[in-house]
Amino acid sequence: MTSNERRAVRYKRREALHEEKRTAKLKPRDAFSQIIDVDNLYTAFRRSMRGVAWKESVQRFEANAMRNIADIRRKLLAGENVQSGFVEFDLRERGKTRHIKSVHISERIVQKCLCDNVLNPILTHPLIYDNGASVEKKGVHFAIRRLIAHLSKFYRHNGFSNEGYALLVDFSKFFDNICHDILFTLLERRIADSQVLDLIRRFVSVFGPGKSLGLGSQVSQIAAIFYPDKPDHIIKEKLRIKYYGRYMDDLYLVHADKDYLRYCLAEIEKVCDTLGITINKKKTRIVKLSSGVDFLKGKYRLLPSGKILRLSDKAASKRMRRKLKKFKPLVVSGKMSYADLRTAYQSWRGNYRKRFNDYYRIGRLDKLYNELFINLHP
C-alpha cells in the first residue's frame, strides 16, 4: 500500500468517525416531537415576547397562553396550517428600502420552537467557525474581532509586513435569489424527519414561487445563513484561504498574492452559480490591506507597524450630526428632555468609541454637541 493510499484510508476512517459522532449528537434533535413538546412551545413563547411584550396582540395571546399553546399543538399534530399571514411594512434605512413581512405571535412561536430545537443545532453544526451571523454567542462584534485577528495573524505570518490584499465579495439581493428547490435539497441532506421538512417547506414557500426568502422570519434567517455553506467550505478547504470570514452576504479573503485572489473569485463565482447566488460586481473588489478592508460599516487598515487602525464609515458621523441638529428644537420646545438627549448621544458615542479609533471625529461631534446644547443644560 502506497503512502497516498494509506492517507486515503485514514481520511475515510476519520470521516466515518466524525459522521458517527455527528449522528449521535444531532439525531435526537431531528424529530417532530421536539416541536410539539409543550415545554418547548412555552419556552419559545416566553422568548418570542422579548422586546414586543407591549404589543396588544402579544398581550391578548398571553392572557390565555396555555390554551393558545394547546391549540397550536393540536394544529401541528393534525397537520393543519399554523400560519396566519404577515404584517407587512417598508423599512427605509440609509437610503435603502427593505420590505418586511413580520409573522404573527402564534406563528412566531412555532418558528422559534422549530429553529431553537431543530434547525439551529442541526444547520449550524457544519458551519465554519468564522461564519458569525445570527449564531448563538456570535454576531457583529464576533465577526469584527475575527477580522482583526486574521489581519494580525497575517501580519506575523507574512514576515511582519502589511504587504497583502483582501478580496471583498458581496452578494446581490441575497435573500431574493435563494432558490427554494436547492434549499430544500440541501435541507434534506441534513434533516431526515419528513414532518419537520414539510413544516419548513410551508414556512419558506409563502415568500414566493420558486425563490426568495422574506425578512422578518426566523426560519428565513437560519436558512439564509446555511445556504452558502458550500462556498465557505470550498474557500477554506479547497482554496486553502486561512484568513476568511463571512457575515451573511459579506465576505472577505486575505492573502499575499493578488493573482491568487482573482483565481479565488473565479472559483467562488462558479460555486455561487450552482446555487443561484449573484455576486455584486460593483461592491466586489480587491484592495490593499494598507488601504483598508471595508467590513460591516467600518474600515480596518493594517499599518506597517502591525497596528490595525479601525476607522468608521463617514456616513455614521454625518447621520449623528444631522440628528443632533434636529434634536435641538425638540429639546427647546420640551418635546424631548435633556436627559433623553444626553442618553441617546452618550449611547451612540460609547459604541462608536468602542468600535473605532476616530478620536478627532468624536472630538468634532462633542464640540457640535456643546455648541448646540450648552445653554440648555438644566
Side-chain angles (χ1 to χ4, degrees):
M1 183 180 290
T2 64
S3 60
N4 288 335
E5 289 173 341
R6 284 196 296 271
R7 277 195 291 269
V9 171
R10 288 197 297 269
Y11 177 77
K12 289 181 180 179
R13 190 163 57 240
R14 286 196 303 271
E15 285 295 301
L17 182 61
H18 291 163
E19 182 63 23
E20 183 181 343
K21 289 182 178 179
R22 189 193 74 84
T23 303
K25 179 181 178 181
L26 300 180
K27 190 173 182 180
R29 295 287 189 175
D30 188 3
F32 191 68
S33 58
Q34 293 280 348
I35 304 171
I36 59 174
D37 183 83
V38 175
D39 290 336
N40 289 343
L41 286 170
Y42 184 75
T43 302
F45 162 63
R46 302 304 302 180
R47 291 178 178 174
S48 299
M49 286 182 61
R50 293 174 183 173
V52 293
W54 55 271
K55 291 185 177 180
E56 181 185 356
S57 59
V58 178
Q59 292 175 2
R60 283 202 307 268
F61 190 96
E62 186 183 17
N64 295 288
M66 296 310 300
R67 183 182 299 172
N68 290 329
I69 289 173
D71 186 54
I72 290 173
R73 185 176 184 273
R74 179 191 60 77
K75 288 182 178 180
L76 288 171
L77 286 170
E80 297 179 14
N81 186 14
V82 294
Q83 295 165 284
S84 50
F86 300 105
V87 177
E88 300 189 36
F89 58 93
D90 290 328
L91 183 64
R92 186 171 180 82
E93 184 181 18
R94 298 165 187 166
K96 188 172 184 178
T97 302
R98 302 180 188 275
H99 187 68
I100 310 297
K101 291 184 176 181
S102 177
V103 298
H104 291 273
I105 182 66
S106 58
E107 182 181 344
R108 194 182 310 138
I109 292 169
V110 181
Q111 289 203 22
K112 182 162 282 296
C113 188
L114 168 64
C115 292
D116 291 355
N117 297 286
V118 180
L119 290 186
N120 287 354
I122 294 176
L123 299 186
T124 59
H125 187 267
L127 300 181
I128 63 171
Y129 180 72
D130 291 315
N131 182 352
S134 299
V135 179
E136 189 176 1
K137 298 182 180 179
K138 294 184 181 181
V140 172
H141 295 293
F142 168 85
I144 293 171
R145 287 197 303 270
R146 290 301 296 165
L147 170 60
I148 293 173
H150 287 159
L151 293 176
S152 298
K153 289 179 180 179
F154 174 84
Y155 178 80
R156 294 195 299 272
H157 295 165
N158 198 40
F160 298 97
S161 170
N162 69 336
E163 294 297 323
Y165 302 89
L167 169 61
L168 306 178
V169 182
D170 183 85
F171 296 146
S172 179
K173 296 183 178 179
F174 178 51
F175 274 73
D176 293 338
N177 288 326
I178 292 179
C179 178
H180 293 175
D181 290 339
I182 297 175
L183 175 61
F184 295 149
T185 301
L186 295 173
L187 290 174
E188 286 168 3
R189 296 174 185 172
R190 296 286 173 179
I191 300 172
D193 193 301
S194 59
Q195 289 179 291
V196 174
L197 288 170
D198 288 342
L199 190 60
I200 296 171
R201 288 191 185 96
R202 276 185 252 164
F203 286 138
V204 170
S205 299
V206 294
F207 291 111
K211 66 178 185 177
S212 179
L213 293 179
L215 299 175
S217 165
Q218 189 174 355
V219 172
S220 296
Q221 191 77 9
I222 185 61
I225 295 166
F226 169 73
Y227 193 73
D229 184 54
K230 184 178 179 181
D232 289 345
H233 284 278
I234 286 177
I235 292 169
K236 282 283 192 180
E237 297 164 13
K238 179 184 175 182
L239 301 177
R240 297 292 181 179
I241 298 295
K242 190 173 183 180
Y243 310 116
Y244 163 73
R246 176 169 73 89
Y247 190 90
M248 199 57 77
D249 60 341
D250 290 326
L251 295 71
Y252 67 84
L253 295 79
V254 177
H255 199 270
D257 190 347
K258 189 175 184 180
D259 291 332
Y260 187 70
L261 287 178
R262 290 196 183 102
Y263 167 75
C264 291
L265 177 58
E267 292 297 310
I268 293 170
E269 287 179 333
K270 291 178 184 177
V271 182
C272 289
D273 287 342
T274 63
L275 297 174
I277 300 175
T278 305
I279 291 179
N280 190 330
K281 298 292 185 179
K282 292 183 178 179
K283 295 183 179 180
T284 299
R285 62 196 185 279
I286 298 175
V287 298
K288 289 185 176 181
L289 298 181
S290 57
S291 300
V293 179
D294 294 318
F295 188 62
L296 297 180
K297 304 301 179 183
K299 176 172 283 191
Y300 302 87
R301 291 178 57 195
L302 181 60
L303 303 182
S305 63
K307 179 180 178 180
I308 298 168
L309 192 61
R310 296 170 291 141
L311 302 174
S312 71
D313 181 10
K314 292 181 180 180
S317 60
K318 288 182 179 179
R319 283 193 298 271
M320 180 48 66
R321 293 181 76 88
R322 287 196 295 266
K323 282 184 180 180
L324 290 176
K325 292 175 182 178
K326 290 181 179 180
F327 284 161
K328 183 172 181 179
L330 298 178
V331 176
V332 171
S333 63
K335 294 181 179 179
M336 184 179 190
S337 68
Y338 182 82
D340 290 341
L341 163 72
R342 182 175 176 81
T343 299
Y345 180 65
Q346 289 297 338
S347 175
W348 178 88
R349 187 179 185 275
N351 179 66
Y352 196 89
R353 285 193 63 185
K354 183 178 179 181
R355 284 190 59 183
F356 306 115
N357 302 127
D358 285 349
Y359 174 83
Y360 293 104
R361 188 169 291 168
I362 291 177
R364 290 192 292 270
L365 278 166
D366 288 344
K367 181 181 178 181
L368 175 64
Y369 177 87
N370 291 328
E371 290 174 353
L372 291 173
F373 303 106
I374 189 66
N375 297 324
L376 299 178
H377 191 284

